[in-house]
Amino acid sequence: MNRTVPQRTATAITNVSVFDDRHHGGETITEFVPNIETIVDGTGKFLIPGFMDSHLHPNTCNDLKILASYGVTTAFQMACYDYAQCNMLQNQEGVANIIRSGLPAVGPNSPHSRLGNFSASQLLSPDSNITATVEYAFNNGSDFYKIIAEINGPTIEQQKELVEQVHALGRMTMTHASHPEFYLQAIESGTDGLQHIFSDGELDASTIARIKAHENMFVTPTMEVFRIAYAHPKLAGLLQGPQGFGNTTFADIQKNVQKMLVAGVPLLAGTDSVGDILLQITGASLPFGPTLHCELENFVDIGMTLAEAIRSATVAPAAWHRITDRGVILPGMRADLVLLNSDPLVNISNTRDIAHSVSYLNQSLSSTIYKVTN
């Protein structure tokens, strides 16, 4: 937290091409706000909303600073094991904004119970009070609730009750599932966000139909963590158990996600990034920032258009996570912006060619800002 935050100034970005979530809109942004102190000439540049990583695990303010430097202005933190630490990361100015889960629903003797070193009181046992568990999470600042569906994880009955109670509070649930049987459990529970995809089976039409039957359901497949794990067997072991990925390849992951894309399942860009915390154990780094751009490239590789890939990390996560103050460049929205030197609608890798990235806490675009359309 020991860092210098630049003083806010009124900024005008002129002569810039604006991404309006489908294509480039007007040629300039014009504004009439008084006392402009900084003018950024956007001639030849491209303005897009700040990116959102819909699944990752930042732990420090420096992690959030790194994310912002790569244009990621919103981070969906998928688990919080220390509420005091997580609270410190929220509402920090000039870095990525955190939206977070609390302690996830983890079953005793499950893989995540060992990986996360949970105490007995933090685990969801068969006789746990679901109401108290949900209330504890949201009373400690959680924005949504996460469930871990896995071997020895919460039963399907517990998952359904968790989802029901969270929905009764007007909140959302995200469910980790990386094996076919637990994917089916997560779908049956009625969760909002399916987290990950599975490698140890083929996604069939019946499963896709079950996903689409839930109007509120979306998928954050985190393809990039699988791509990295296929090159690092020890990381694969952490993700899938001692057997790793068996005889499968990253092409199997691509095939499963592509099926969802073709079927019209909403897909959000998320990375499962943890930084270098697993580097010594697995030999793999999951860096904050670059992995999001890799995920956009993964999406394009399976058939997304360039605009769809950008939407998967901007307007789409805002809409599916029911966050109304970001994701598009419009009056009244947060001033979370990325100015690119190169056109992302020519090549998706141009999202890496960042001239400026800005994330301003509670500072919205002036109501007098408007796009001049052709």
Side-chain angles (χ1 to χ4, degrees), residues 247-316:
N247 295 323
T248 63
T249 67
F250 184 61
D252 295 304
I253 293 289
Q254 292 175 305
K255 186 184 301 182
N256 280 341
V257 180
Q258 185 179 49
K259 286 182 178 181
M260 289 193 286
L261 173 65
V262 171
V265 174
L267 300 175
L268 306 185
T271 64
D272 207 9
S273 297
V274 295
D276 290 337
I277 194 170
L278 299 176
L279 183 59
Q280 290 187 339
I281 302 172
T282 67
S285 175
L286 299 168
F288 298 108
T291 47
L292 190 279
H293 297 276
C294 291
E295 188 72 354
L296 300 185
E297 293 165 6
N298 291 333
F299 279 173
V300 171
D301 286 343
I302 64 166
M304 272 194 189
T305 67
L306 301 176
E308 286 172 338
I310 295 170
R311 285 171 55 86
S312 76
T314 54
V315 63

Coordinates of all heavy atoms in Angstrom, one line a residue, residues 247-316:
N247 N -4.5 -38.3 -21.2 CA -4.1 -38.3 -22.6 C -4.7 -37.1 -23.4 O -4.6 -37.1 -24.6 CB -4.4 -39.6 -23.3 CG -3.7 -40.8 -22.7 OD1 -2.5 -40.7 -22.3 ND2 -4.4 -41.9 -22.5
T248 N -5.3 -36.2 -22.7 CA -5.9 -35.1 -23.4 C -4.9 -34.0 -23.8 O -3.7 -34.0 -23.3 CB -7.0 -34.5 -22.5 OG1 -6.4 -33.9 -21.4 CG2 -8.1 -35.5 -22.1
T249 N -5.3 -33.1 -24.6 CA -4.5 -32.0 -25.0 C -5.2 -30.7 -24.9 O -6.5 -30.7 -24.7 CB -4.0 -32.2 -26.5 OG1 -5.2 -32.1 -27.3 CG2 -3.3 -33.5 -26.7
F250 N -4.5 -29.6 -25.1 CA -5.2 -28.3 -25.1 C -6.3 -28.2 -26.2 O -7.3 -27.5 -26.0 CB -4.2 -27.2 -25.2 CG -4.8 -25.8 -25.1 CD1 -5.5 -25.4 -23.9 CD2 -4.7 -24.9 -26.1 CE1 -6.0 -24.1 -23.8 CE2 -5.3 -23.6 -26.0 CZ -6.0 -23.3 -24.8
A251 N -6.1 -29.0 -27.2 CA -7.1 -29.0 -28.3 C -8.4 -29.5 -27.8 O -9.5 -29.0 -28.3 CB -6.6 -29.8 -29.5
D252 N -8.4 -30.3 -26.8 CA -9.7 -30.8 -26.2 C -10.4 -29.7 -25.5 O -11.6 -29.6 -25.5 CB -9.4 -32.0 -25.3 CG -8.9 -33.2 -26.1 OD1 -9.6 -33.7 -27.0 OD2 -7.8 -33.7 -25.7
I253 N -9.6 -28.9 -24.8 CA -10.2 -27.7 -24.1 C -10.8 -26.8 -25.2 O -11.9 -26.3 -25.0 CB -9.1 -27.0 -23.3 CG1 -8.6 -27.8 -22.1 CG2 -9.6 -25.6 -22.9 CD1 -9.6 -27.9 -21.0
Q254 N -10.0 -26.5 -26.2 CA -10.5 -25.6 -27.3 C -11.8 -26.1 -27.9 O -12.7 -25.4 -28.2 CB -9.4 -25.5 -28.4 CG -8.2 -24.7 -27.9 CD -7.1 -24.7 -29.0 OE1 -6.7 -25.7 -29.5 NE2 -6.7 -23.5 -29.4
K255 N -11.9 -27.4 -28.1 CA -13.1 -28.0 -28.7 C -14.3 -27.9 -27.8 O -15.4 -27.5 -28.3 CB -12.8 -29.5 -29.0 CG -13.9 -30.2 -29.7 CD -13.6 -31.7 -29.9 CE -12.3 -32.0 -30.6 NZ -12.1 -33.5 -30.8
N256 N -14.1 -28.1 -26.5 CA -15.3 -27.9 -25.6 C -15.8 -26.5 -25.5 O -17.0 -26.2 -25.5 CB -14.9 -28.4 -24.2 CG -14.9 -30.0 -24.1 OD1 -15.6 -30.6 -24.9 ND2 -14.3 -30.5 -23.1
V257 N -14.8 -25.5 -25.5 CA -15.2 -24.1 -25.4 C -15.8 -23.7 -26.7 O -16.8 -22.9 -26.8 CB -14.1 -23.2 -25.0 CG1 -14.5 -21.8 -24.9 CG2 -13.5 -23.7 -23.6
Q258 N -15.3 -24.2 -27.8 CA -15.8 -23.8 -29.1 C -17.3 -24.3 -29.3 O -18.1 -23.6 -29.9 CB -14.9 -24.4 -30.2 CG -15.3 -24.0 -31.6 CD -14.4 -24.6 -32.7 OE1 -14.2 -25.8 -32.7 NE2 -13.9 -23.8 -33.6
K259 N -17.6 -25.4 -28.7 CA -18.9 -25.9 -28.8 C -19.9 -25.0 -28.1 O -21.0 -24.7 -28.6 CB -19.0 -27.3 -28.2 CG -18.5 -28.5 -29.0 CD -18.6 -29.8 -28.3 CE -18.1 -30.9 -29.2 NZ -18.3 -32.3 -28.5
M260 N -19.5 -24.5 -26.9 CA -20.3 -23.5 -26.2 C -20.5 -22.2 -27.0 O -21.5 -21.6 -27.1 CB -19.7 -23.2 -24.9 CG -19.9 -24.4 -23.9 SD -19.5 -24.0 -22.2 CE -17.7 -23.8 -22.2
L261 N -19.4 -21.8 -27.6 CA -19.4 -20.6 -28.4 C -20.4 -20.7 -29.6 O -21.3 -19.8 -29.8 CB -18.0 -20.3 -29.0 CG -17.9 -19.1 -30.0 CD1 -18.3 -17.8 -29.4 CD2 -16.5 -19.0 -30.6
V262 N -20.3 -21.8 -30.3 CA -21.2 -22.0 -31.5 C -22.7 -22.1 -31.0 O -23.6 -21.7 -31.7 CB -20.8 -23.3 -32.2 CG1 -21.8 -23.7 -33.3 CG2 -19.4 -23.2 -32.8
A263 N -22.9 -22.7 -29.8 CA -24.3 -22.8 -29.3 C -24.8 -21.6 -28.7 O -26.0 -21.5 -28.3 CB -24.3 -23.9 -28.2
G264 N -24.0 -20.5 -28.6 CA -24.4 -19.3 -28.0 C -24.4 -19.2 -26.5 O -25.1 -18.3 -25.9
V265 N -23.6 -20.0 -25.8 CA -23.4 -19.9 -24.4 C -22.6 -18.6 -24.1 O -21.5 -18.4 -24.7 CB -22.7 -21.1 -23.8 CG1 -22.4 -20.9 -22.3 CG2 -23.6 -22.4 -24.0
P266 N -23.0 -17.8 -23.2 CA -22.2 -16.6 -22.9 C -20.9 -16.9 -22.3 O -20.8 -17.7 -21.3 CB -23.1 -15.8 -21.9 CG -24.5 -16.4 -22.0 CD -24.3 -17.8 -22.5
L267 N -19.8 -16.4 -22.9 CA -18.4 -16.7 -22.4 C -17.7 -15.5 -22.0 O -17.7 -14.5 -22.7 CB -17.6 -17.4 -23.6 CG -18.2 -18.7 -24.1 CD1 -17.3 -19.2 -25.3 CD2 -18.2 -19.8 -23.0
L268 N -17.2 -15.5 -20.8 CA -16.4 -14.3 -20.2 C -14.9 -14.6 -20.1 O -14.6 -15.8 -19.9 CB -17.0 -14.0 -18.9 CG -18.5 -13.7 -18.8 CD1 -18.8 -13.2 -17.4 CD2 -19.0 -12.7 -19.8
A269 N -14.1 -13.6 -20.3 CA -12.7 -13.8 -20.2 C -12.2 -13.8 -18.8 O -12.4 -12.8 -18.1 CB -12.0 -12.7 -21.0
G270 N -11.6 -14.9 -18.4 CA -11.0 -15.0 -17.0 C -9.8 -15.8 -17.1 O -9.7 -16.6 -18.0
T271 N -8.9 -15.7 -16.2 CA -7.6 -16.3 -16.3 C -7.2 -17.3 -15.2 O -6.3 -18.1 -15.4 CB -6.5 -15.2 -16.4 OG1 -6.5 -14.5 -15.1 CG2 -6.8 -14.3 -17.5
D272 N -7.8 -17.2 -14.0 CA -7.3 -17.9 -12.8 C -5.9 -17.6 -12.4 O -5.2 -18.4 -11.8 CB -7.5 -19.4 -13.0 CG -7.7 -20.2 -11.7 OD1 -7.9 -19.6 -10.7 OD2 -7.6 -21.4 -11.8
S273 N -5.5 -16.4 -12.8 CA -4.1 -15.9 -12.5 C -3.9 -15.8 -11.0 O -4.7 -15.4 -10.2 CB -3.8 -14.6 -13.1 OG -3.9 -14.7 -14.5
V274 N -2.7 -16.3 -10.6 CA -2.2 -16.2 -9.2 C -0.9 -15.5 -9.0 O -0.3 -15.5 -7.9 CB -2.2 -17.5 -8.5 CG1 -3.6 -18.1 -8.4 CG2 -1.3 -18.5 -9.2
G275 N -0.3 -15.1 -10.1 CA 1.1 -14.5 -10.1 C 2.1 -15.6 -10.0 O 2.0 -16.7 -10.7
D276 N 3.1 -15.4 -9.2 CA 4.2 -16.4 -9.1 C 4.1 -17.3 -7.9 O 5.1 -18.0 -7.6 CB 5.6 -15.6 -9.1 CG 5.9 -14.9 -10.4 OD1 5.4 -15.4 -11.4 OD2 6.7 -13.9 -10.4
I277 N 3.0 -17.3 -7.2 CA 2.8 -18.0 -6.0 C 3.1 -19.5 -6.1 O 3.5 -20.2 -5.2 CB 1.5 -17.7 -5.4 CG1 1.4 -18.2 -3.9 CG2 0.3 -18.4 -6.2 CD1 0.2 -17.7 -3.2
L278 N 2.8 -20.0 -7.3 CA 3.0 -21.5 -7.6 C 4.3 -21.8 -8.4 O 4.5 -22.9 -8.7 CB 1.8 -22.1 -8.3 CG 0.4 -21.9 -7.6 CD1 -0.7 -22.5 -8.5 CD2 0.5 -22.7 -6.3
L279 N 5.1 -20.8 -8.6 CA 6.3 -20.9 -9.5 C 7.2 -22.0 -8.9 O 7.7 -22.9 -9.7 CB 7.0 -19.6 -9.7 CG 8.2 -19.6 -10.6 CD1 7.8 -20.0 -12.0 CD2 8.8 -18.2 -10.7
Q280 N 7.6 -21.9 -7.6 CA 8.6 -22.9 -7.1 C 8.0 -24.3 -7.0 O 8.7 -25.2 -7.1 CB 9.0 -22.4 -5.7 CG 9.9 -21.1 -5.8 CD 10.5 -20.8 -4.4 OE1 9.9 -21.2 -3.4 NE2 11.5 -20.0 -4.4
I281 N 6.7 -24.4 -6.8 CA 6.1 -25.7 -6.7 C 5.9 -26.4 -8.0 O 6.1 -27.6 -8.2 CB 4.7 -25.6 -5.9 CG1 4.9 -24.9 -4.6 CG2 4.0 -26.9 -5.8 CD1 3.6 -24.6 -3.9
T282 N 5.4 -25.6 -9.0 CA 5.0 -26.2 -10.3 C 5.9 -25.8 -11.5 O 5.9 -26.4 -12.5 CB 3.6 -25.8 -10.6 OG1 3.6 -24.3 -10.9 CG2 2.6 -26.1 -9.5
G283 N 6.8 -24.8 -11.3 CA 7.6 -24.3 -12.4 C 6.8 -23.4 -13.3 O 7.3 -22.9 -14.3
A284 N 5.5 -23.1 -13.0 CA 4.6 -22.3 -13.8 C 4.3 -21.0 -13.2 O 4.0 -20.9 -12.0 CB 3.4 -23.1 -14.2
S285 N 4.4 -19.9 -13.9 CA 3.9 -18.6 -13.5 C 2.6 -18.3 -14.2 O 2.4 -18.6 -15.3 CB 4.9 -17.5 -13.9 OG 4.4 -16.2 -13.5
L286 N 1.7 -17.7 -13.4 CA 0.4 -17.3 -14.0 C 0.2 -15.8 -13.8 O -0.4 -15.3 -12.8 CB -0.8 -18.1 -13.3 CG -0.8 -19.6 -13.4 CD1 -1.7 -20.2 -12.5 CD2 -1.1 -20.0 -14.8
P287 N 0.9 -15.0 -14.6 CA 1.1 -13.6 -14.3 C -0.2 -12.8 -14.4 O -1.1 -13.1 -15.3 CB 2.1 -13.1 -15.4 CG 1.9 -14.1 -16.5 CD 1.6 -15.4 -15.8
F288 N -0.4 -11.8 -13.6 CA -1.5 -10.9 -13.7 C -1.3 -10.0 -14.9 O -0.3 -9.3 -15.0 CB -1.6 -10.1 -12.4 CG -1.9 -10.9 -11.2 CD1 -0.9 -11.1 -10.2 CD2 -3.1 -11.5 -11.0 CE1 -1.1 -11.9 -9.1 CE2 -3.3 -12.3 -9.9 CZ -2.3 -12.5 -8.9
G289 N -2.3 -9.9 -15.7 CA -2.3 -8.9 -16.8 C -2.1 -9.6 -18.2 O -3.0 -9.7 -19.0
P290 N -0.9 -10.1 -18.5 CA -0.7 -10.7 -19.8 C -1.6 -11.9 -20.1 O -2.0 -12.1 -21.2 CB 0.8 -11.2 -19.7 CG 1.4 -10.3 -18.7 CD 0.4 -10.0 -17.7
T291 N -2.0 -12.6 -19.0 CA -2.8 -13.8 -19.2 C -4.2 -13.4 -19.7 O -4.8 -14.2 -20.5 CB -3.0 -14.6 -17.9 OG1 -3.3 -13.6 -16.8 CG2 -1.7 -15.4 -17.6
L292 N -4.7 -12.2 -19.4 CA -6.0 -11.8 -19.9 C -5.9 -11.6 -21.4 O -6.8 -11.9 -22.1 CB -6.4 -10.5 -19.2 CG -7.8 -9.9 -19.4 CD1 -8.0 -9.1 -20.7 CD2 -8.9 -11.0 -19.3
H293 N -4.8 -11.0 -21.9 CA -4.6 -10.8 -23.3 C -4.5 -12.1 -24.0 O -5.0 -12.3 -25.1 CB -3.4 -9.9 -23.6 CG -3.6 -8.5 -23.0 ND1 -4.3 -7.5 -23.7 CD2 -3.2 -7.9 -21.8 CE1 -4.3 -6.4 -23.0 NE2 -3.7 -6.6 -21.8
C294 N -3.8 -13.1 -23.4 CA -3.7 -14.4 -23.9 C -5.1 -15.0 -24.0 O -5.4 -15.7 -25.0 CB -2.8 -15.3 -23.1 SG -1.1 -14.9 -23.1
E295 N -6.0 -14.8 -23.0 CA -7.3 -15.4 -23.1 C -8.1 -14.8 -24.2 O -8.9 -15.5 -24.9 CB -8.0 -15.1 -21.8 CG -9.4 -15.9 -21.6 CD -9.2 -17.4 -21.4 OE1 -8.1 -17.9 -21.5 OE2 -10.3 -18.0 -21.2
L296 N -8.0 -13.5 -24.5 CA -8.6 -13.0 -25.7 C -8.2 -13.6 -27.0 O -8.9 -13.9 -27.9 CB -8.4 -11.4 -25.7 CG -8.9 -10.6 -24.5 CD1 -8.6 -9.1 -24.8 CD2 -10.3 -10.9 -24.2
E297 N -6.9 -13.9 -27.0 CA -6.3 -14.6 -28.2 C -6.8 -16.0 -28.3 O -7.2 -16.5 -29.4 CB -4.8 -14.6 -28.1 CG -4.2 -13.2 -28.3 CD -2.7 -13.1 -27.9 OE1 -2.1 -14.1 -27.6 OE2 -2.2 -11.9 -27.8
N298 N -7.0 -16.7 -27.1 CA -7.6 -18.0 -27.1 C -9.0 -18.0 -27.6 O -9.4 -18.9 -28.4 CB -7.6 -18.6 -25.7 CG -6.2 -18.9 -25.1 OD1 -5.3 -19.2 -25.9 ND2 -6.1 -18.8 -23.8
F299 N -9.8 -17.0 -27.3 CA -11.1 -16.9 -27.8 C -11.2 -16.7 -29.3 O -12.0 -17.3 -30.0 CB -11.8 -15.7 -27.0 CG -12.4 -16.1 -25.7 CD1 -12.9 -15.1 -24.9 CD2 -12.3 -17.4 -25.2 CE1 -13.4 -15.4 -23.6 CE2 -12.8 -17.7 -23.9 CZ -13.4 -16.7 -23.1
V300 N -10.3 -15.9 -29.8 CA -10.3 -15.6 -31.2 C -9.9 -16.9 -31.9 O -10.4 -17.3 -33.0 CB -9.3 -14.5 -31.6 CG1 -9.1 -14.4 -33.1 CG2 -9.9 -13.1 -31.0
D301 N -8.9 -17.7 -31.3 CA -8.5 -18.9 -32.0 C -9.6 -19.9 -32.1 O -9.6 -20.8 -33.0 CB -7.4 -19.6 -31.1 CG -6.0 -18.8 -31.3 OD1 -5.9 -18.0 -32.3 OD2 -5.1 -19.0 -30.4
I302 N -10.6 -19.9 -31.2 CA -11.7 -20.9 -31.3 C -12.9 -20.3 -32.1 O -13.9 -21.0 -32.3 CB -12.2 -21.3 -29.9 CG1 -12.8 -20.1 -29.2 CG2 -11.1 -22.0 -29.2 CD1 -13.6 -20.6 -28.0
G303 N -12.8 -19.1 -32.7 CA -13.8 -18.6 -33.6 C -14.5 -17.3 -33.2 O -15.4 -16.9 -34.0
M304 N -14.2 -16.7 -32.0 CA -14.8 -15.4 -31.7 C -14.3 -14.4 -32.7 O -13.2 -14.4 -33.2 CB -14.4 -15.0 -30.3 CG -15.3 -15.5 -29.2 SD -15.0 -14.5 -27.7 CE -16.1 -15.5 -26.6
T305 N -15.2 -13.4 -33.0 CA -14.7 -12.3 -33.8 C -13.9 -11.4 -32.9 O -13.9 -11.6 -31.6 CB -15.9 -11.5 -34.3 OG1 -16.6 -10.9 -33.2 CG2 -16.9 -12.3 -35.2
L306 N -13.1 -10.5 -33.5 CA -12.3 -9.6 -32.6 C -13.2 -8.8 -31.7 O -12.9 -8.6 -30.5 CB -11.5 -8.7 -33.5 CG -10.5 -9.5 -34.5 CD1 -9.8 -8.5 -35.4 CD2 -9.5 -10.3 -33.7
A307 N -14.3 -8.3 -32.2 CA -15.2 -7.5 -31.4 C -15.8 -8.3 -30.2 O -15.9 -7.9 -29.1 CB -16.3 -6.9 -32.2
E308 N -16.2 -9.6 -30.5 CA -16.7 -10.4 -29.5 C -15.7 -10.7 -28.4 O -16.0 -10.8 -27.2 CB -17.2 -11.8 -30.1 CG -18.5 -11.7 -30.9 CD -18.8 -13.0 -31.7 OE1 -17.8 -13.8 -31.9 OE2 -19.9 -13.2 -32.0
A309 N -14.4 -10.9 -28.8 CA -13.4 -11.1 -27.8 C -13.3 -9.9 -26.9 O -13.1 -10.1 -25.6 CB -12.1 -11.5 -28.5
I310 N -13.3 -8.7 -27.4 CA -13.2 -7.5 -26.6 C -14.4 -7.4 -25.7 O -14.3 -7.1 -24.5 CB -13.0 -6.3 -27.5 CG1 -11.7 -6.3 -28.3 CG2 -13.1 -5.0 -26.7 CD1 -11.5 -5.3 -29.4
R311 N -15.5 -7.7 -26.2 CA -16.8 -7.7 -25.4 C -16.7 -8.6 -24.3 O -17.2 -8.3 -23.2 CB -18.0 -8.0 -26.3 CG -18.4 -6.9 -27.2 CD -19.5 -7.4 -28.2 NE -20.6 -8.0 -27.5 CZ -21.7 -7.3 -27.1 NH1 -21.7 -6.0 -27.3 NH2 -22.7 -8.0 -26.5
S312 N -16.0 -9.8 -24.4 CA -15.9 -10.8 -23.4 C -15.2 -10.3 -22.2 O -15.2 -10.9 -21.1 CB -15.3 -12.1 -23.9 OG -13.9 -11.9 -24.0
A313 N -14.4 -9.2 -22.3 CA -13.7 -8.6 -21.2 C -14.1 -7.2 -20.9 O -13.4 -6.5 -20.1 CB -12.2 -8.7 -21.5
T314 N -15.2 -6.7 -21.5 CA -15.6 -5.4 -21.2 C -17.1 -5.3 -20.9 O -17.6 -5.5 -19.8 CB -15.3 -4.4 -22.4 OG1 -15.8 -5.0 -23.6 CG2 -13.8 -4.3 -22.5
V315 N -17.9 -5.2 -21.9 CA -19.4 -5.0 -21.7 C -20.1 -6.3 -21.2 O -21.0 -6.3 -20.4 CB -20.1 -4.5 -23.0 CG1 -19.9 -5.4 -24.1 CG2 -21.5 -4.1 -22.7
A316 N -19.6 -7.5 -21.7 CA -20.2 -8.7 -21.3 C -20.1 -9.0 -19.8 O -21.1 -9.4 -19.2 CB -19.7 -9.9 -22.2

